[in-house]
Amino acid sequence: QVQLVQSGGGLVQAGGSLRLSCTAPRRTYLNLTMGWFRQAPGQERELVAAISWSGGPAYSADSVKGRVTLTRDHAKNTVFLQMNSLKSEDTAVYYCAAKRRGEKSYEWWGQGTQVTVSS
């Protein structure tokens, strides 16, 4: 069952930008961490970036560091993943997820959205 609603995927040329959004159906709370994962065909799922609702610095994987920005809109219960300078290797299905702070596993997940980067 989809617990988080995603939007913003699509087709973009290499070097372009996309902004993905992830909206919770109910109010979010400060003890949650929001993460973005991606999974390319035949590859394992990897964590791309994460941010806490309570603030503080965001995490980003080395593969996307400097090219992604995480932002939060508390009023809209939404977190955004801004991706710039996209590369073909960024092509994947992107999932947003949420977990309780201090927990290892993400408990709530979005439906996934396809990001395809072409040359």
Side-chain angles (χ1 to χ4, degrees):
Q1 183 178 4
V2 176
Q3 299 164 303
L4 306 171
V5 180
Q6 300 179 226
S7 65
L11 175 66
V12 63
Q13 294 184 8
S17 299
L18 281 176
R19 189 179 73 163
L20 308 182
S21 67
C22 177
T23 301
R26 303 178 66 181
R27 292 183 62 186
T28 54
Y29 302 95
L30 297 179
N31 67 336
L32 296 181
T33 295
M34 305 298 298
W36 286 93
F37 295 82
R38 68 184 181 187
Q39 187 166 26
Q43 301 183 19
E44 63 181 2
R45 185 180 63 196
E46 64 172 337
L47 178 64
V48 177
I51 193 168
S52 173
W53 277 104
S54 63
Y59 163 84
S60 61
D62 290 341
S63 59
V64 300
K65 196 175 296 293
R67 302 189 294 116
V68 302
T69 302
L70 283 171
T71 56
R72 296 156 292 188
D73 187 334
H74 291 90
K76 296 181 178 180
N77 296 324
T78 300
V79 62
F80 301 93
L81 178 67
Q82 177 71 41
M83 301 188 294
N84 303 318
S85 302
L86 286 165
K87 307 173 181 179
S88 60
E89 50 264 43
D90 295 319
T91 296
V93 176
Y94 284 72
Y95 299 89
C96 68
K99 71 178 184 71
R100 305 175 201 264
R101 287 180 59 85
E103 298 291 331
K104 295 182 179 180
S105 299
Y106 282 79
E107 185 173 355
W108 302 277
W109 291 84
Q111 80 277 18
T113 184
Q114 177 70 47
V115 171
T116 302
V117 183
S118 63
S119 60

